[in-house]
Amino acid sequence: MSRTIAIGDVHGCAFEFEALLKALAPQKHDRIIQLGDLVNRGPDSHDVIQLAQEHQVEAVLGNHELRLLRARREMRPEILKSYDYPTLNQLTTADWDFLERLPNYQHLAERDTVLVHAGFLPDQVWHEQDIDVTVHIQVIDAEGRAAKRSDAPGASAWADHWHGAPFVIYGHTPRPKVFKRPGSIGIDTGCAYGGHLTAYILEEDAYVQIRARKAYAHSKRMPDPV
């Protein structure tokens, strides 16, 4: 039976990404969809993109890819962050072509499931929401707006308010463990911060994880070490 496999935020962790792909042992008819933020924080963004292409991994657009693309398209270096520059030094023309083709989400209509980087606001039509919501949302602030956890301390996760349909599989918000709710699953388990790189197999409702061999970055929201 073919499998549909979602993979959380890789963040330049090529060693762990390759190990996870080997553990999954994908077959010809499997479909692998990575949930964005392939790049940055970890050391090997170019190698990660190469692995994705070698293994026919599909991906969606994450906030890290979006920022790099906007800086390049609009010639706005001021929006870049310090950890963007090592990535920029690695990316080839073929890598940029790959990033330019990333869709905002993948909709599995037959399963009534959407794979997206960050999530959705629950009171709006999901497929009409702005890219800045779908790649950035973590919580919903007191005014009902999409926000980062750091900008709205104490605000509840958007997933706590999302009851579907569709069912949503997402990354972006790193947590020590998979974050499962009735209408969603968050599978960013902080690989770049010394946590795990997580894959979720939809047909089996099962997880495959690889522990990071080291912490490549620090997060105030993740235990250190995880």
Side-chain angles (χ1 to χ4, degrees):
M1 182 181 72
S2 61
R3 299 175 298 171
T4 310
I5 303 168
I7 295 179
D9 300 40
V10 177
H11 275 305
C13 299
F15 176 87
E16 292 81 0
F17 190 33
E18 186 170 23
L20 181 60
L21 290 168
K22 287 180 179 177
L24 289 166
Q27 303 300 305
K28 180 179 180 181
H29 297 292
D30 290 343
R31 184 180 184 187
I32 305 175
I33 303 171
Q34 195 276 331
L35 300 177
D37 285 0
L38 278 168
V39 304
N40 282 351
R41 301 199 188 280
D44 302 309
S45 293
H46 167 72
D47 292 348
V48 165
I49 294 173
Q50 290 293 105
L51 284 165
Q53 294 181 95
E54 289 169 13
H55 292 269
Q56 290 78 53
V57 174
E58 302 172 58
V60 301
L61 189 69
N63 59 298
H64 284 258
E65 290 88 13
L66 180 61
R67 185 173 61 251
L68 292 174
L69 290 166
R70 280 179 169 167
R72 188 171 189 251
R73 293 167 181 164
E74 302 167 16
M75 292 183 290
R76 295 172 59 202
E78 71 276 5
I79 70 174
L80 295 171
K81 299 183 182 294
S82 60
Y83 50 70
D84 289 322
Y85 288 95
T87 300
L88 290 173
N89 290 332
Q90 294 178 24
L91 296 183
T92 66
T93 299
D95 295 338
W96 283 110
D97 289 344
F98 178 86
L99 298 182
E100 289 280 3
R101 295 193 298 269
L102 296 179
N104 295 354
Y105 56 82
Q106 291 283 359
H107 182 209
L108 309 180
E110 71 282 3
R111 302 185 66 89
D112 200 15
T113 296
V114 173
L115 293 87
V116 69
H117 179 58
F120 299 104
L121 285 165
D123 58 348
Q124 299 179 18
V125 178
W126 68 267
H127 55 82
E128 295 178 355
Q129 296 189 35
D130 188 83
I131 185 65
D132 283 306
V133 171
T134 64
V135 303
H136 289 113
I137 189 171
Q138 292 182 319
V139 299
I140 300 174
D141 69 15
E143 284 73 43
R145 298 172 301 193
K148 298 192 300 182
R149 289 185 291 185
S150 58
D151 292 337
S156 56
W158 71 269
D160 288 337
H161 304 270
W162 183 269
H163 306 294
F167 189 81
V168 178
I169 304 172
Y170 67 100
H172 183 58
T173 301
R175 297 180 174 96
K177 297 181 180 180
V178 169
F179 191 70
K180 191 167 186 177
R181 291 293 182 266
S184 63
I185 297 178
I187 61 170
D188 181 359
T189 44
C191 182
Y193 306 115
H196 293 81
L197 183 59
T198 296
Y200 174 60
I201 304 170
L202 279 66
E203 289 78 8
E204 302 171 11
D205 191 24
Y207 306 97
V208 177
Q209 293 186 313
I210 295 294
R211 181 67 185 261
R213 63 176 175 177
K214 61 177 288 186
Y216 302 98
H218 174 73
S219 169
K220 295 178 181 178
R221 295 283 179 171
M222 294 283 286
D224 192 9
V226 177

